[in-house]
Amino acid sequence: MVAKMKIKESDLRNRIIEALKSQGFHVNPHIRPKNNEKDTLRKIHKQKRIEQLKFHKNFLLKNLDEIKKFSINGKDLDPSKIELELIEVAPESFESKLFFWWNLVWWSVPFDKPIGRQMKFILWDKYHNAPFGLIGLQSPPLRSSVRDSFLNLNKENIDYWINQSMYGQRIGALPPYNELLGGKMVALSLTSNELRKAYSKKYKNRKSLMKKRKIPSRLLFITTTSAFGKSSIYERITYKGEKVSHFIGFTSGSGTFHLPQTLYEEALLFLEQKGINVERGYGTGPSRKLELVDTAFRYLKIPNFTFHNIKRGYYFFPHVKNVHDVIHKNKRPIWYDRPFKELINFWKERWAIPRSKRVKEWKNFDADNFFRKAEIQIKRL
């Protein structure tokens, strides 16, 4: 938290506006990206990503050499020999360090600190002894117009059903596997039997925090959003003739990622000075940050600034074939049967091996060069 100082309303408002302009937003008087090209959207995300790298600089440098030990050059990779396992990440483990390191460094889109239920997984290539990809799941927002419309949820039962789902905050493959369409394997894993069983085991006999009622420890579906509109990774994923992911629309273009962390903390202090409760963390729900930022913007007389107008593609990954009947007709779930091992074989035959023969970019990944550049970039922060 920033030091306890008197926050002047006009100064904070002006600094927020200037920060948004520097990221690539038009402000006139609402905000919107200058265009929807991916390079422009990446620039908007860049400031927060750099902010995160700088904040975790010591961790990144301290663990760089250890993380580097478990990397592979593209030329040393044999796509036909890839053998994956799904590892649930335990707190304070080596896997948790590895997950966090790559989560910060590899993606151009910065992560948000997860709130509520959390599960992390690493797809590990046992044959090459290297991390293949990451899955970061968290509690979904209680309300989402796209998802709620698709499922026809009402206010009375929404928490019961949403608490039987998760939101994919980080889903993707690491180099050099990303060039072999490894992201599609990570996406397939979202509906694997093994991930669902891990969820059921972790959340057995739990109760919702809001209404204190018992929620079944079953994972009915996972949702996620794509930062750059529709996703080439999530589109057209089928397995045994069944759609694995469903595009269900675009988000409204609201959120908080575009507000730098330092200004967010100043906004919290500004609200405290107004006598407003800014309690957050476990038990307050994943939408709490948006509520606080929206409140601050209204007091600062920039009420629509939570609408950044970057619309993300919304994707739905069901674990049951009859999800609407389960929700609205109290039917017994008909679960998809997707063993992780079978998904691996399918991915290799359908995508990885054919692509390895068509394109050769995956062979060009040089781990030493990647980590050398990463170290230089981090040290300069």
Side-chain angles (χ1 to χ4, degrees), residues 79-259:
S80 68
K81 298 288 181 64
I82 294 173
E83 183 182 356
L84 301 179
E85 63 178 328
L86 187 66
I87 301 173
E88 184 178 355
V89 176
E92 308 302 323
S93 63
F94 167 71
E95 288 82 7
S96 69
K97 289 195 293 185
L98 184 141
F99 187 104
F100 192 53
W101 197 95
W102 280 107
N103 194 16
L104 287 165
V105 171
W106 177 239
W107 276 268
S108 61
V109 177
F111 82 102
D112 281 320
K113 184 178 179 181
I115 295 174
R117 289 169 289 133
Q118 301 173 36
M119 296 190 79
K120 299 183 181 71
F121 297 88
I122 294 176
L123 280 76
W124 192 271
D125 183 353
K126 294 188 289 184
Y127 182 85
H128 297 97
N129 198 29
F132 176 97
L134 307 183
I135 296 174
L137 304 176
Q138 67 170 48
S139 291
L142 184 59
R143 290 181 175 81
S144 168
S145 58
V146 177
R147 177 203 64 203
D148 300 347
S149 176
F150 175 73
L151 293 173
N152 195 25
L153 296 173
N154 58 57
K155 293 180 180 180
E156 288 69 33
N157 65 9
I158 194 168
D159 74 304
Y160 181 77
W161 297 111
I162 296 310
N163 274 293
Q164 295 178 63
S165 77
M166 293 289 270
Y167 174 78
Q169 187 190 64
R170 185 67 86 202
I171 302 167
L174 301 174
Y177 302 98
N178 61 309
E179 294 291 352
L180 294 171
L181 297 179
K184 288 189 179 291
M185 178 63 224
V186 182
L188 281 168
S189 304
L190 293 178
T191 60
S192 66
N193 297 349
E194 287 76 3
L195 188 147
R196 183 168 69 247
K197 289 175 182 176
Y199 176 90
S200 182
K201 180 180 179 181
K202 181 170 183 177
Y203 293 107
K204 187 177 181 180
N205 297 322
R206 68 183 177 85
K207 293 184 179 181
S208 68
L209 288 172
M210 302 297 287
K211 295 189 177 180
K212 307 297 181 184
R213 62 177 171 178
K214 189 173 181 180
I215 304 291
S217 60
R218 57 187 187 182
L219 182 60
L220 296 178
F221 59 88
I222 292 172
T223 54
T224 193
T225 55
S226 172
F228 306 116
K230 280 193 171 183
S231 166
S232 61
I233 294 295
Y234 304 145
E235 290 288 317
R236 298 183 297 279
I237 302 181
T238 59
Y239 176 70
K240 293 185 176 180
E242 300 167 332
K243 290 188 72 172
V244 173
S245 63
H246 302 257
F247 173 75
I248 60 174
F250 289 99
T251 64
S252 61
S254 65
T256 63
F257 80 87
H258 54 306
L259 180 65

Side-chain angles (χ1 to χ4, degrees), residues 40-55:
T40 299
L41 299 182
R42 286 192 177 97
K43 180 184 177 183
I44 290 172
H45 289 292
K46 184 178 179 180
Q47 180 171 317
K48 185 169 184 179
R49 179 177 180 270
I50 291 174
E51 187 179 62
Q52 290 180 343
L53 291 174
K54 188 174 182 179
F55 184 79

Side-chain angles (χ1 to χ4, degrees), residues 315-351:
Y315 289 86
F316 184 85
F317 291 77
H319 273 260
V320 297
K321 300 180 181 182
N322 59 337
V323 64
H324 286 85
D325 286 344
V326 172
I327 292 173
H328 297 291
K329 298 180 181 179
N330 201 29
K331 295 288 187 179
R332 186 183 298 274
I334 302 173
W335 301 98
Y336 286 110
D337 182 22
R338 294 173 181 164
F340 184 70
K341 187 174 182 180
E342 292 184 13
L343 294 176
I344 300 167
N345 295 333
F346 171 75
W347 168 77
K348 286 167 68 173
E349 294 172 8
R350 171 67 178 83
W351 283 297

